[in-house]
Amino acid sequence: MISPTGCYLSRAAWEEARILARRQSIATLVADARTPADERAKLALVLAARAFAADSLGLRPEDSFTRYTRLDRDTLVLVVSAAYPDRLARRTWWFPVVGRFPYKGFFDFDAAHRTAEDLRRDGFDVSLGASSAFSTLGWFNDPVVSTTLRMDSVSLVNTVIHEITHTTFFAKGQVVFNESFASFVGGRGAIAFFRARGDSAATARAEAEWADDVRLGAFWAALHARLDSAFAAHPDSGSDRMLRAANKERRLAARARIYRDARRTLVDSVGPRLQTYPAGWAERVPLDNAVVMARQVYATDLPLFDTVLAAEGGDVARALSRIVAGAKARPEAPFEGVRATLGAEATAGRDGRRR
C-alpha cells in the first residue's frame, strides 16, 4: 500500500511531468507572429528578466524559464500552512532531499481543501491560498506557466528573479531564510531591472511594492513578538493538568486581545501607508497564527538584507554574494551568519526579529 506521502509525491510528480511535457520554447514563441501580442510581450519580458538575473545579479538560472507551458486551469497550485492556535509553532511536512517545510503545495485542489479541513478539525489555525509559480530548485527545467504570465509586468519580473534565486542558493531546512532572501532578491532585483531599462513608471511601482513588503514585514514581526511574549507568560509545561489547562485558556484570551489590537493598528496605521494594496485589504486580511507565520516565511528580517545592500553601496549583485557567503558560514542559523558579515553595522538595524 502506498503511504499518504507516497501518494502526494506521486501526484506531484505526475503533474510536474505534464507541465514539462507541454513546454514550448519561449524564444520560438516570441519570434512567432502567430503568438498573441500580449503573450509575446510578457514572454519577452521573462527572457529579459532571466538574462538580467544572470548577467547583472550573478544568479544562475540554469535552463529555467526558457520554456513556457499553457495550463488548462486558472490556478497552478494551492498551498496549505497551519499553526497551533495557542503557540507560535508550525505544522510541518517532511519531504525527501529538501527536508522539512512549513507549507504543502497541492495540484489536487480537492486534496488541499480536505487537508485544510482536517487540520481545522484537529484545532489548527489554517491558511489556504493559491500560488501562480513554483521552483523545483534546479531539479528540472522549470517553465513559465500561464498562471504566472497573468501577472502585471513588475510582479512577473519579481517572480522570475525570486524563483531563480532558489535555483542559485537554497539552504536545506531553512525555509524562512530561503523565502525571505528570495523576496529581497526579487524585490530589489525588479527595481534594478526596470531602472536599467529606463522605465521610471515600473521602477516607481517596484520601489513602492518593496516598501510595502518591508512595512508589512515590520508589522508581522511586531505582532509575532507580542504573541510570543504573551504565550511564553503562560507556559504549557509541568505536570499539573489543571494549571496547564488554565494557562491554555490564558494564552487564548491573550491572543484574542492581541489580534483585536493588531487589527486596529493594521486598519488605522499600517493600511493607509500601503501604496500597492487594494482599498479595504487591511479590514479583510485574516489574522491568526497560521497567517502571521505564513507571512513571516516571506518577510523575515528584510531590513537586514537592505543593510547589506547599503554596505555594498547599493550593488545588488555584491550584496547577494555577501548574503550567501554569510548564510553558508552559519547553515544552522543563516540570518545570524549574514548579520555576522556586517559586524558593528548589524547592531543599528537589529529590531528583535532574530532567527
Side-chain angles (χ1 to χ4, degrees), residues 48-74:
R50 183 183 182 280
F52 184 84
D55 300 338
S56 299
L57 302 182
L59 299 178
R60 297 193 302 273
E62 306 298 342
D63 292 326
S64 295
F65 302 121
T66 59
R67 294 179 177 272
Y68 173 58
T69 296
R70 293 186 182 93
L71 301 179
D72 53 8
R73 59 184 185 272
D74 294 332

mmCIF file with all atom_site columns, all heavy atoms in Angstrom, residues 48-74:
data_model
loop_
_atom_site.group_PDB
_atom_site.id
_atom_site.type_symbol
_atom_site.label_atom_id
_atom_site.label_alt_id
_atom_site.label_comp_id
_atom_site.label_asym_id
_atom_site.label_entity_id
_atom_site.label_seq_id
_atom_site.pdbx_PDB_ins_code
_atom_site.Cartn_x
_atom_site.Cartn_y
_atom_site.Cartn_z
_atom_site.occupancy
_atom_site.B_iso_or_equiv
_atom_site.pdbx_formal_charge
_atom_site.auth_seq_id
_atom_site.auth_comp_id
_atom_site.auth_asym_id
_atom_site.auth_atom_id
_atom_site.pdbx_PDB_model_num
ATOM 1   N N   . ALA A 1 48 ? 14.069 38.690 -20.765 1.00 0.00 ? 48 ALA A N   1
ATOM 2   C CA  . ALA A 1 48 ? 14.895 39.828 -20.369 1.00 0.00 ? 48 ALA A CA  1
ATOM 3   C C   . ALA A 1 48 ? 15.217 39.778 -18.876 1.00 0.00 ? 48 ALA A C   1
ATOM 4   O O   . ALA A 1 48 ? 16.353 40.052 -18.459 1.00 0.00 ? 48 ALA A O   1
ATOM 5   C CB  . ALA A 1 48 ? 14.181 41.132 -20.714 1.00 0.00 ? 48 ALA A CB  1
ATOM 6   N N   . ALA A 1 49 ? 14.226 39.426 -18.051 1.00 0.00 ? 49 ALA A N   1
ATOM 7   C CA  . ALA A 1 49 ? 14.453 39.316 -16.608 1.00 0.00 ? 49 ALA A CA  1
ATOM 8   C C   . ALA A 1 49 ? 15.420 38.194 -16.296 1.00 0.00 ? 49 ALA A C   1
ATOM 9   O O   . ALA A 1 49 ? 16.292 38.323 -15.419 1.00 0.00 ? 49 ALA A O   1
ATOM 10  C CB  . ALA A 1 49 ? 13.121 39.090 -15.892 1.00 0.00 ? 49 ALA A CB  1
ATOM 11  N N   . ARG A 1 50 ? 15.282 37.101 -17.012 1.00 0.00 ? 50 ARG A N   1
ATOM 12  C CA  . ARG A 1 50 ? 16.185 35.961 -16.824 1.00 0.00 ? 50 ARG A CA  1
ATOM 13  C C   . ARG A 1 50 ? 17.624 36.348 -17.160 1.00 0.00 ? 50 ARG A C   1
ATOM 14  O O   . ARG A 1 50 ? 18.557 36.037 -16.417 1.00 0.00 ? 50 ARG A O   1
ATOM 15  C CB  . ARG A 1 50 ? 15.713 34.806 -17.706 1.00 0.00 ? 50 ARG A CB  1
ATOM 16  C CG  . ARG A 1 50 ? 16.501 33.534 -17.575 1.00 0.00 ? 50 ARG A CG  1
ATOM 17  C CD  . ARG A 1 50 ? 15.982 32.476 -18.543 1.00 0.00 ? 50 ARG A CD  1
ATOM 18  N NE  . ARG A 1 50 ? 16.721 31.252 -18.373 1.00 0.00 ? 50 ARG A NE  1
ATOM 19  C CZ  . ARG A 1 50 ? 17.933 31.030 -18.896 1.00 0.00 ? 50 ARG A CZ  1
ATOM 20  N NH1 . ARG A 1 50 ? 18.519 31.967 -19.621 1.00 0.00 ? 50 ARG A NH1 1
ATOM 21  N NH2 . ARG A 1 50 ? 18.551 29.879 -18.674 1.00 0.00 ? 50 ARG A NH2 1
ATOM 22  N N   . ALA A 1 51 ? 17.805 37.042 -18.278 1.00 0.00 ? 51 ALA A N   1
ATOM 23  C CA  . ALA A 1 51 ? 19.154 37.481 -18.674 1.00 0.00 ? 51 ALA A CA  1
ATOM 24  C C   . ALA A 1 51 ? 19.719 38.465 -17.659 1.00 0.00 ? 51 ALA A C   1
ATOM 25  O O   . ALA A 1 51 ? 20.909 38.402 -17.309 1.00 0.00 ? 51 ALA A O   1
ATOM 26  C CB  . ALA A 1 51 ? 19.102 38.112 -20.066 1.00 0.00 ? 51 ALA A CB  1
ATOM 27  N N   . PHE A 1 52 ? 18.889 39.367 -17.170 1.00 0.00 ? 52 PHE A N   1
ATOM 28  C CA  . PHE A 1 52 ? 19.344 40.342 -16.178 1.00 0.00 ? 52 PHE A CA  1
ATOM 29  C C   . PHE A 1 52 ? 19.763 39.634 -14.891 1.00 0.00 ? 52 PHE A C   1
ATOM 30  O O   . PHE A 1 52 ? 20.771 39.991 -14.279 1.00 0.00 ? 52 PHE A O   1
ATOM 31  C CB  . PHE A 1 52 ? 18.224 41.343 -15.891 1.00 0.00 ? 52 PHE A CB  1
ATOM 32  C CG  . PHE A 1 52 ? 18.617 42.440 -14.952 1.00 0.00 ? 52 PHE A CG  1
ATOM 33  C CD1 . PHE A 1 52 ? 19.265 43.575 -15.425 1.00 0.00 ? 52 PHE A CD1 1
ATOM 34  C CD2 . PHE A 1 52 ? 18.330 42.354 -13.591 1.00 0.00 ? 52 PHE A CD2 1
ATOM 35  C CE1 . PHE A 1 52 ? 19.634 44.604 -14.559 1.00 0.00 ? 52 PHE A CE1 1
ATOM 36  C CE2 . PHE A 1 52 ? 18.695 43.372 -12.721 1.00 0.00 ? 52 PHE A CE2 1
ATOM 37  C CZ  . PHE A 1 52 ? 19.354 44.497 -13.199 1.00 0.00 ? 52 PHE A CZ  1
ATOM 38  N N   . ALA A 1 53 ? 18.983 38.639 -14.476 1.00 0.00 ? 53 ALA A N   1
ATOM 39  C CA  . ALA A 1 53 ? 19.317 37.889 -13.264 1.00 0.00 ? 53 ALA A CA  1
ATOM 40  C C   . ALA A 1 53 ? 20.696 37.257 -13.373 1.00 0.00 ? 53 ALA A C   1
ATOM 41  O O   . ALA A 1 53 ? 21.475 37.245 -12.409 1.00 0.00 ? 53 ALA A O   1
ATOM 42  C CB  . ALA A 1 53 ? 18.257 36.822 -13.001 1.00 0.00 ? 53 ALA A CB  1
ATOM 43  N N   . ALA A 1 54 ? 21.012 36.740 -14.549 1.00 0.00 ? 54 ALA A N   1
ATOM 44  C CA  . ALA A 1 54 ? 22.314 36.088 -14.750 1.00 0.00 ? 54 ALA A CA  1
ATOM 45  C C   . ALA A 1 54 ? 23.436 37.104 -14.926 1.00 0.00 ? 54 ALA A C   1
ATOM 46  O O   . ALA A 1 54 ? 24.490 37.016 -14.277 1.00 0.00 ? 54 ALA A O   1
ATOM 47  C CB  . ALA A 1 54 ? 22.243 35.171 -15.966 1.00 0.00 ? 54 ALA A CB  1
ATOM 48  N N   . ASP A 1 55 ? 23.233 38.087 -15.800 1.00 0.00 ? 55 ASP A N   1
ATOM 49  C CA  . ASP A 1 55 ? 24.319 38.990 -16.193 1.00 0.00 ? 55 ASP A CA  1
ATOM 50  C C   . ASP A 1 55 ? 24.575 40.105 -15.189 1.00 0.00 ? 55 ASP A C   1
ATOM 51  O O   . ASP A 1 55 ? 25.724 40.517 -15.001 1.00 0.00 ? 55 ASP A O   1
ATOM 52  C CB  . ASP A 1 55 ? 24.010 39.615 -17.563 1.00 0.00 ? 55 ASP A CB  1
ATOM 53  C CG  . ASP A 1 55 ? 23.856 38.586 -18.658 1.00 0.00 ? 55 ASP A CG  1
ATOM 54  O OD1 . ASP A 1 55 ? 24.387 37.471 -18.485 1.00 0.00 ? 55 ASP A OD1 1
ATOM 55  O OD2 . ASP A 1 55 ? 23.207 38.887 -19.673 1.00 0.00 ? 55 ASP A OD2 1
ATOM 56  N N   . SER A 1 56 ? 23.521 40.588 -14.542 1.00 0.00 ? 56 SER A N   1
ATOM 57  C CA  . SER A 1 56 ? 23.675 41.738 -13.654 1.00 0.00 ? 56 SER A CA  1
ATOM 58  C C   . SER A 1 56 ? 23.593 41.391 -12.169 1.00 0.00 ? 56 SER A C   1
ATOM 59  O O   . SER A 1 56 ? 24.128 42.122 -11.338 1.00 0.00 ? 56 SER A O   1
ATOM 60  C CB  . SER A 1 56 ? 22.611 42.798 -13.985 1.00 0.00 ? 56 SER A CB  1
ATOM 61  O OG  . SER A 1 56 ? 22.756 43.264 -15.307 1.00 0.00 ? 56 SER A OG  1
ATOM 62  N N   . LEU A 1 57 ? 22.909 40.304 -11.826 1.00 0.00 ? 57 LEU A N   1
ATOM 63  C CA  . LEU A 1 57 ? 22.753 39.937 -10.419 1.00 0.00 ? 57 LEU A CA  1
ATOM 64  C C   . LEU A 1 57 ? 23.625 38.758 -10.013 1.00 0.00 ? 57 LEU A C   1
ATOM 65  O O   . LEU A 1 57 ? 23.733 38.449 -8.819  1.00 0.00 ? 57 LEU A O   1
ATOM 66  C CB  . LEU A 1 57 ? 21.281 39.618 -10.118 1.00 0.00 ? 57 LEU A CB  1
ATOM 67  C CG  . LEU A 1 57 ? 20.274 40.732 -10.409 1.00 0.00 ? 57 LEU A CG  1
ATOM 68  C CD1 . LEU A 1 57 ? 18.868 40.278 -10.019 1.00 0.00 ? 57 LEU A CD1 1
ATOM 69  C CD2 . LEU A 1 57 ? 20.638 42.009 -9.681  1.00 0.00 ? 57 LEU A CD2 1
ATOM 70  N N   . GLY A 1 58 ? 24.195 38.066 -10.979 1.00 0.00 ? 58 GLY A N   1
ATOM 71  C CA  . GLY A 1 58 ? 25.052 36.931 -10.662 1.00 0.00 ? 58 GLY A CA  1
ATOM 72  C C   . GLY A 1 58 ? 24.296 35.682 -10.265 1.00 0.00 ? 58 GLY A C   1
ATOM 73  O O   . GLY A 1 58 ? 24.886 34.761 -9.671  1.00 0.00 ? 58 GLY A O   1
ATOM 74  N N   . LEU A 1 59 ? 23.011 35.620 -10.579 1.00 0.00 ? 59 LEU A N   1
ATOM 75  C CA  . LEU A 1 59 ? 22.241 34.414 -10.288 1.00 0.00 ? 59 LEU A CA  1
ATOM 76  C C   . LEU A 1 59 ? 22.474 33.366 -11.369 1.00 0.00 ? 59 LEU A C   1
ATOM 77  O O   . LEU A 1 59 ? 22.985 33.663 -12.440 1.00 0.00 ? 59 LEU A O   1
ATOM 78  C CB  . LEU A 1 59 ? 20.750 34.752 -10.199 1.00 0.00 ? 59 LEU A CB  1
ATOM 79  C CG  . LEU A 1 59 ? 20.355 35.749 -9.107  1.00 0.00 ? 59 LEU A CG  1
ATOM 80  C CD1 . LEU A 1 59 ? 18.858 36.039 -9.167  1.00 0.00 ? 59 LEU A CD1 1
ATOM 81  C CD2 . LEU A 1 59 ? 20.733 35.238 -7.719  1.00 0.00 ? 59 LEU A CD2 1
ATOM 82  N N   . ARG A 1 60 ? 22.072 32.124 -11.070 1.00 0.00 ? 60 ARG A N   1
ATOM 83  C CA  . ARG A 1 60 ? 22.285 31.030 -12.011 1.00 0.00 ? 60 ARG A CA  1
ATOM 84  C C   . ARG A 1 60 ? 20.929 30.457 -12.433 1.00 0.00 ? 60 ARG A C   1
ATOM 85  O O   . ARG A 1 60 ? 20.390 29.570 -11.761 1.00 0.00 ? 60 ARG A O   1
ATOM 86  C CB  . ARG A 1 60 ? 23.141 29.939 -11.377 1.00 0.00 ? 60 ARG A CB  1
ATOM 87  C CG  . ARG A 1 60 ? 24.556 30.393 -11.006 1.00 0.00 ? 60 ARG A CG  1
ATOM 88  C CD  . ARG A 1 60 ? 25.456 29.210 -10.672 1.00 0.00 ? 60 ARG A CD  1
ATOM 89  N NE  . ARG A 1 60 ? 24.936 28.409 -9.578  1.00 0.00 ? 60 ARG A NE  1
ATOM 90  C CZ  . ARG A 1 60 ? 25.173 28.652 -8.293  1.00 0.00 ? 60 ARG A CZ  1
ATOM 91  N NH1 . ARG A 1 60 ? 25.908 29.698 -7.952  1.00 0.00 ? 60 ARG A NH1 1
ATOM 92  N NH2 . ARG A 1 60 ? 24.675 27.873 -7.355  1.00 0.00 ? 60 ARG A NH2 1
ATOM 93  N N   . PRO A 1 61 ? 20.388 30.919 -13.526 1.00 0.00 ? 61 PRO A N   1
ATOM 94  C CA  . PRO A 1 61 ? 19.076 30.421 -13.965 1.00 0.00 ? 61 PRO A CA  1
ATOM 95  C C   . PRO A 1 61 ? 19.099 28.981 -14.447 1.00 0.00 ? 61 PRO A C   1
ATOM 96  O O   . PRO A 1 61 ? 18.038 28.352 -14.549 1.00 0.00 ? 61 PRO A O   1
ATOM 97  C CB  . PRO A 1 61 ? 18.708 31.364 -15.123 1.00 0.00 ? 61 PRO A CB  1
ATOM 98  C CG  . PRO A 1 61 ? 19.614 32.529 -14.996 1.00 0.00 ? 61 PRO A CG  1
ATOM 99  C CD  . PRO A 1 61 ? 20.868 32.022 -14.366 1.00 0.00 ? 61 PRO A CD  1
ATOM 100 N N   . GLU A 1 62 ? 20.313 28.474 -14.759 1.00 0.00 ? 62 GLU A N   1
ATOM 101 C CA  . GLU A 1 62 ? 20.412 27.165 -15.403 1.00 0.00 ? 62 GLU A CA  1
ATOM 102 C C   . GLU A 1 62 ? 19.541 27.201 -16.664 1.00 0.00 ? 62 GLU A C   1
ATOM 103 O O   . GLU A 1 62 ? 19.660 28.109 -17.463 1.00 0.00 ? 62 GLU A O   1
ATOM 104 C CB  . GLU A 1 62 ? 19.980 26.052 -14.439 1.00 0.00 ? 62 GLU A CB  1
ATOM 105 C CG  . GLU A 1 62 ? 20.715 26.067 -13.097 1.00 0.00 ? 62 GLU A CG  1
ATOM 106 C CD  . GLU A 1 62 ? 22.224 25.862 -13.194 1.00 0.00 ? 62 GLU A CD  1
ATOM 107 O OE1 . GLU A 1 62 ? 22.694 25.374 -14.233 1.00 0.00 ? 62 GLU A OE1 1
ATOM 108 O OE2 . GLU A 1 62 ? 22.925 26.210 -12.226 1.00 0.00 ? 62 GLU A OE2 1
ATOM 109 N N   . ASP A 1 63 ? 18.639 26.236 -16.832 1.00 0.00 ? 63 ASP A N   1
ATOM 110 C CA  . ASP A 1 63 ? 17.753 26.248 -18.001 1.00 0.00 ? 63 ASP A CA  1
ATOM 111 C C   . ASP A 1 63 ? 16.334 26.709 -17.658 1.00 0.00 ? 63 ASP A C   1
ATOM 112 O O   . ASP A 1 63 ? 15.441 26.634 -18.497 1.00 0.00 ? 63 ASP A O   1
ATOM 113 C CB  . ASP A 1 63 ? 17.686 24.844 -18.621 1.00 0.00 ? 63 ASP A CB  1
ATOM 114 C CG  . ASP A 1 63 ? 19.000 24.427 -19.264 1.00 0.00 ? 63 ASP A CG  1
ATOM 115 O OD1 . ASP A 1 63 ? 19.683 25.314 -19.806 1.00 0.00 ? 63 ASP A OD1 1
ATOM 116 O OD2 . ASP A 1 63 ? 19.334 23.235 -19.204 1.00 0.00 ? 63 ASP A OD2 1
ATOM 117 N N   . SER A 1 64 ? 16.137 27.176 -16.424 1.00 0.00 ? 64 SER A N   1
ATOM 118 C CA  . SER A 1 64 ? 14.795 27.590 -16.018 1.00 0.00 ? 64 SER A CA  1
ATOM 119 C C   . SER A 1 64 ? 14.331 28.812 -16.785 1.00 0.00 ? 64 SER A C   1
ATOM 120 O O   . SER A 1 64 ? 15.120 29.684 -17.154 1.00 0.00 ? 64 SER A O   1
ATOM 121 C CB  . SER A 1 64 ? 14.775 27.908 -14.517 1.00 0.00 ? 64 SER A CB  1
ATOM 122 O OG  . SER A 1 64 ? 15.023 26.744 -13.757 1.00 0.00 ? 64 SER A OG  1
ATOM 123 N N   . PHE A 1 65 ? 13.024 28.851 -17.034 1.00 0.00 ? 65 PHE A N   1
ATOM 124 C CA  . PHE A 1 65 ? 12.362 29.985 -17.667 1.00 0.00 ? 65 PHE A CA  1
ATOM 125 C C   . PHE A 1 65 ? 12.838 30.248 -19.095 1.00 0.00 ? 65 PHE A C   1
ATOM 126 O O   . PHE A 1 65 ? 12.856 31.391 -19.549 1.00 0.00 ? 65 PHE A O   1
ATOM 127 C CB  . PHE A 1 65 ? 12.490 31.243 -16.802 1.00 0.00 ? 65 PHE A CB  1
ATOM 128 C CG  . PHE A 1 65 ? 11.932 31.061 -15.423 1.00 0.00 ? 65 PHE A CG  1
ATOM 129 C CD1 . PHE A 1 65 ? 12.727 31.236 -14.302 1.00 0.00 ? 65 PHE A CD1 1
ATOM 130 C CD2 . PHE A 1 65 ? 10.614 30.674 -15.238 1.00 0.00 ? 65 PHE A CD2 1
ATOM 131 C CE1 . PHE A 1 65 ? 12.211 31.042 -13.036 1.00 0.00 ? 65 PHE A CE1 1
ATOM 132 C CE2 . PHE A 1 65 ? 10.092 30.486 -13.974 1.00 0.00 ? 65 PHE A CE2 1
ATOM 133 C CZ  . PHE A 1 65 ? 10.890 30.663 -12.868 1.00 0.00 ? 65 PHE A CZ  1
ATOM 134 N N   . THR A 1 66 ? 13.228 29.193 -19.771 1.00 0.00 ? 66 THR A N   1
ATOM 135 C CA  . THR A 1 66 ? 13.483 29.289 -21.211 1.00 0.00 ? 66 THR A CA  1
ATOM 136 C C   . THR A 1 66 ? 12.321 28.677 -21.987 1.00 0.00 ? 66 THR A C   1
ATOM 137 O O   . THR A 1 66 ? 12.287 28.774 -23.215 1.00 0.00 ? 66 THR A O   1
ATOM 138 C CB  . THR A 1 66 ? 14.773 28.555 -21.604 1.00 0.00 ? 66 THR A CB  1
ATOM 139 O OG1 . THR A 1 66 ? 14.671 27.176 -21.222 1.00 0.00 ? 66 THR A OG1 1
ATOM 140 C CG2 . THR A 1 66 ? 15.987 29.183 -20.921 1.00 0.00 ? 66 THR A CG2 1
ATOM 141 N N   . ARG A 1 67 ? 11.374 28.080 -21.256 1.00 0.00 ? 67 ARG A N   1
ATOM 142 C CA  . ARG A 1 67 ? 10.236 27.425 -21.892 1.00 0.00 ? 67 ARG A CA  1
ATOM 143 C C   . ARG A 1 67 ? 8.936  27.854 -21.221 1.00 0.00 ? 67 ARG A C   1
ATOM 144 O O   . ARG A 1 67 ? 8.950  28.383 -20.111 1.00 0.00 ? 67 ARG A O   1
ATOM 145 C CB  . ARG A 1 67 ? 10.393 25.898 -21.855 1.00 0.00 ? 67 ARG A CB  1
ATOM 146 C CG  . ARG A 1 67 ? 11.575 25.413 -22.693 1.00 0.00 ? 67 ARG A CG  1
ATOM 147 C CD  . ARG A 1 67 ? 11.741 23.903 -22.621 1.00 0.00 ? 67 ARG A CD  1
ATOM 148 N NE  . ARG A 1 67 ? 12.828 23.459 -23.468 1.00 0.00 ? 67 ARG A NE  1
ATOM 149 C CZ  . ARG A 1 67 ? 12.715 23.153 -24.762 1.00 0.00 ? 67 ARG A CZ  1
ATOM 150 N NH1 . ARG A 1 67 ? 11.525 23.227 -25.347 1.00 0.00 ? 67 ARG A NH1 1
ATOM 151 N NH2 . ARG A 1 67 ? 13.755 22.761 -25.451 1.00 0.00 ? 67 ARG A NH2 1
ATOM 152 N N   . TYR A 1 68 ? 7.843  27.612 -21.908 1.00 0.00 ? 68 TYR A N   1
ATOM 153 C CA  . TYR A 1 68 ? 6.535  28.092 -21.471 1.00 0.00 ? 68 TYR A CA  1
ATOM 154 C C   . TYR A 1 68 ? 5.529  26.957 -21.582 1.00 0.00 ? 68 TYR A C   1
ATOM 155 O O   . TYR A 1 68 ? 5.534  26.193 -22.558 1.00 0.00 ? 68 TYR A O   1
ATOM 156 C CB  . TYR A 1 68 ? 6.103  29.265 -22.364 1.00 0.00 ? 68 TYR A CB  1
ATOM 157 C CG  . TYR A 1 68 ? 4.702  29.761 -22.142 1.00 0.00 ? 68 TYR A CG  1
ATOM 158 C CD1 . TYR A 1 68 ? 4.290  30.222 -20.894 1.00 0.00 ? 68 TYR A CD1 1
ATOM 159 C CD2 . TYR A 1 68 ? 3.787  29.800 -23.192 1.00 0.00 ? 68 TYR A CD2 1
ATOM 160 C CE1 . TYR A 1 68 ? 3.003  30.697 -20.695 1.00 0.00 ? 68 TYR A CE1 1
ATOM 161 C CE2 . TYR A 1 68 ? 2.488  30.286 -23.008 1.00 0.00 ? 68 TYR A CE2 1
ATOM 162 C CZ  . TYR A 1 68 ? 2.109  30.729 -21.752 1.00 0.00 ? 68 TYR A CZ  1
ATOM 163 O OH  . TYR A 1 68 ? 0.837  31.197 -21.559 1.00 0.00 ? 68 TYR A OH  1
ATOM 164 N N   . THR A 1 69 ? 4.665  26.858 -20.571 1.00 0.00 ? 69 THR A N   1
ATOM 165 C CA  . THR A 1 69 ? 3.605  25.864 -20.584 1.00 0.00 ? 69 THR A CA  1
ATOM 166 C C   . THR A 1 69 ? 2.259  26.545 -20.350 1.00 0.00 ? 69 THR A C   1
ATOM 167 O O   . THR A 1 69 ? 2.079  27.251 -19.359 1.00 0.00 ? 69 THR A O   1
ATOM 168 C CB  . THR A 1 69 ? 3.818  24.799 -19.485 1.00 0.00 ? 69 THR A CB  1
ATOM 169 O OG1 . THR A 1 69 ? 5.015  24.066 -19.760 1.00 0.00 ? 69 THR A OG1 1
ATOM 170 C CG2 . THR A 1 69 ? 2.647  23.827 -19.439 1.00 0.00 ? 69 THR A CG2 1
ATOM 171 N N   . ARG A 1 70 ? 1.353  26.333 -21.291 1.00 0.00 ? 70 ARG A N   1
ATOM 172 C CA  . ARG A 1 70 ? -0.021 26.813 -21.106 1.00 0.00 ? 70 ARG A CA  1
ATOM 173 C C   . ARG A 1 70 ? -0.788 25.770 -20.305 1.00 0.00 ? 70 ARG A C   1
ATOM 174 O O   . ARG A 1 70 ? -0.847 24.590 -20.677 1.00 0.00 ? 70 ARG A O   1
ATOM 175 C CB  . ARG A 1 70 ? -0.704 27.034 -22.455 1.00 0.00 ? 70 ARG A CB  1
ATOM 176 C CG  . ARG A 1 70 ? -0.124 28.180 -23.276 1.00 0.00 ? 70 ARG A CG  1
ATOM 177 C CD  . ARG A 1 70 ? -0.966 28.427 -24.529 1.00 0.00 ? 70 ARG A CD  1
ATOM 178 N NE  . ARG A 1 70 ? -0.416 29.487 -25.367 1.00 0.00 ? 70 ARG A NE  1
ATOM 179 C CZ  . ARG A 1 70 ? 0.417  29.289 -26.369 1.00 0.00 ? 70 ARG A CZ  1
ATOM 180 N NH1 . ARG A 1 70 ? 0.796  28.041 -26.665 1.00 0.00 ? 70 ARG A NH1 1
ATOM 181 N NH2 . ARG A 1 70 ? 0.869  30.307 -27.085 1.00 0.00 ? 70 ARG A NH2 1
ATOM 182 N N   . LEU A 1 71 ? -1.382 26.208 -19.216 1.00 0.00 ? 71 LEU A N   1
ATOM 183 C CA  . LEU A 1 71 ? -2.173 25.310 -18.383 1.00 0.00 ? 71 LEU A CA  1
ATOM 184 C C   . LEU A 1 71 ? -3.638 25.380 -18.781 1.00 0.00 ? 71 LEU A C   1
ATOM 185 O O   . LEU A 1 71 ? -4.090 26.361 -19.384 1.00 0.00 ? 71 LEU A O   1
ATOM 186 C CB  . LEU A 1 71 ? -2.026 25.702 -16.903 1.00 0.00 ? 71 LEU A CB  1
ATOM 187 C CG  . LEU A 1 71 ? -0.617 25.682 -16.324 1.00 0.00 ? 71 LEU A CG  1
ATOM 188 C CD1 . LEU A 1 71 ? -0.648 26.126 -14.870 1.00 0.00 ? 71 LEU A CD1 1
ATOM 189 C CD2 . LEU A 1 71 ? 0.012  24.307 -16.444 1.00 0.00 ? 71 LEU A CD2 1
ATOM 190 N N   . ASP A 1 72 ? -4.385 24.349 -18.407 1.00 0.00 ? 72 ASP A N   1
ATOM 191 C CA  . ASP A 1 72 ? -5.814 24.326 -18.710 1.00 0.00 ? 72 ASP A CA  1
ATOM 192 C C   . ASP A 1 72 ? -6.635 24.714 -17.489 1.00 0.00 ? 72 ASP A C   1
ATOM 193 O O   . ASP A 1 72 ? -7.801 24.350 -17.352 1.00 0.00 ? 72 ASP A O   1
ATOM 194 C CB  . ASP A 1 72 ? -6.233 22.939 -19.217 1.00 0.00 ? 72 ASP A CB  1
ATOM 195 C CG  . ASP A 1 72 ? -5.808 21.812 -18.285 1.00 0.00 ? 72 ASP A CG  1
ATOM 196 O OD1 . ASP A 1 72 ? -5.322 22.122 -17.171 1.00 0.00 ? 72 ASP A OD1 1
ATOM 197 O OD2 . ASP A 1 72 ? -5.955 20.639 -18.663 1.00 0.00 ? 72 ASP A OD2 1
ATOM 198 N N   . ARG A 1 73 ? -6.026 25.477 -16.578 1.00 0.00 ? 73 ARG A N   1
ATOM 199 C CA  . ARG A 1 73 ? -6.725 25.944 -15.377 1.00 0.00 ? 73 ARG A CA  1
ATOM 200 C C   . ARG A 1 73 ? -6.171 27.306 -14.982 1.00 0.00 ? 73 ARG A C   1
ATOM 201 O O   . ARG A 1 73 ? -5.098 27.709 -15.424 1.00 0.00 ? 73 ARG A O   1
ATOM 202 C CB  . ARG A 1 73 ? -6.545 24.942 -14.229 1.00 0.00 ? 73 ARG A CB  1
ATOM 203 C CG  . ARG A 1 73 ? -5.109 24.673 -13.832 1.00 0.00 ? 73 ARG A CG  1
ATOM 204 C CD  . ARG A 1 73 ? -5.032 23.592 -12.764 1.00 0.00 ? 73 ARG A CD  1
ATOM 205 N NE  . ARG A 1 73 ? -3.685 23.371 -12.258 1.00 0.00 ? 73 ARG A NE  1
ATOM 206 C CZ  . ARG A 1 73 ? -2.818 22.537 -12.796 1.00 0.00 ? 73 ARG A CZ  1
ATOM 207 N NH1 . ARG A 1 73 ? -3.151 21.828 -13.877 1.00 0.00 ? 73 ARG A NH1 1
ATOM 208 N NH2 . ARG A 1 73 ? -1.614 22.376 -12.277 1.00 0.00 ? 73 ARG A NH2 1
ATOM 209 N N   . ASP A 1 74 ? -6.927 27.996 -14.118 1.00 0.00 ? 74 ASP A N   1
ATOM 210 C CA  . ASP A 1 74 ? -6.554 29.341 -13.712 1.00 0.00 ? 74 ASP A CA  1
ATOM 211 C C   . ASP A 1 74 ? -5.619 29.372 -12.514 1.00 0.00 ? 74 ASP A C   1
ATOM 212 O O   . ASP A 1 74 ? -5.009 30.403 -12.230 1.00 0.00 ? 74 ASP A O   1
ATOM 213 C CB  . ASP A 1 74 ? -7.805 30.162 -13.375 1.00 0.00 ? 74 ASP A CB  1
ATOM 214 C CG  . ASP A 1 74 ? -8.678 30.395 -14.596 1.00 0.00 ? 74 ASP A CG  1
ATOM 215 O OD1 . ASP A 1 74 ? -8.132 30.415 -15.709 1.00 0.00 ? 74 ASP A OD1 1
ATOM 216 O OD2 . ASP A 1 74 ? -9.898 30.551 -14.419 1.00 0.00 ? 74 ASP A OD2 1
#
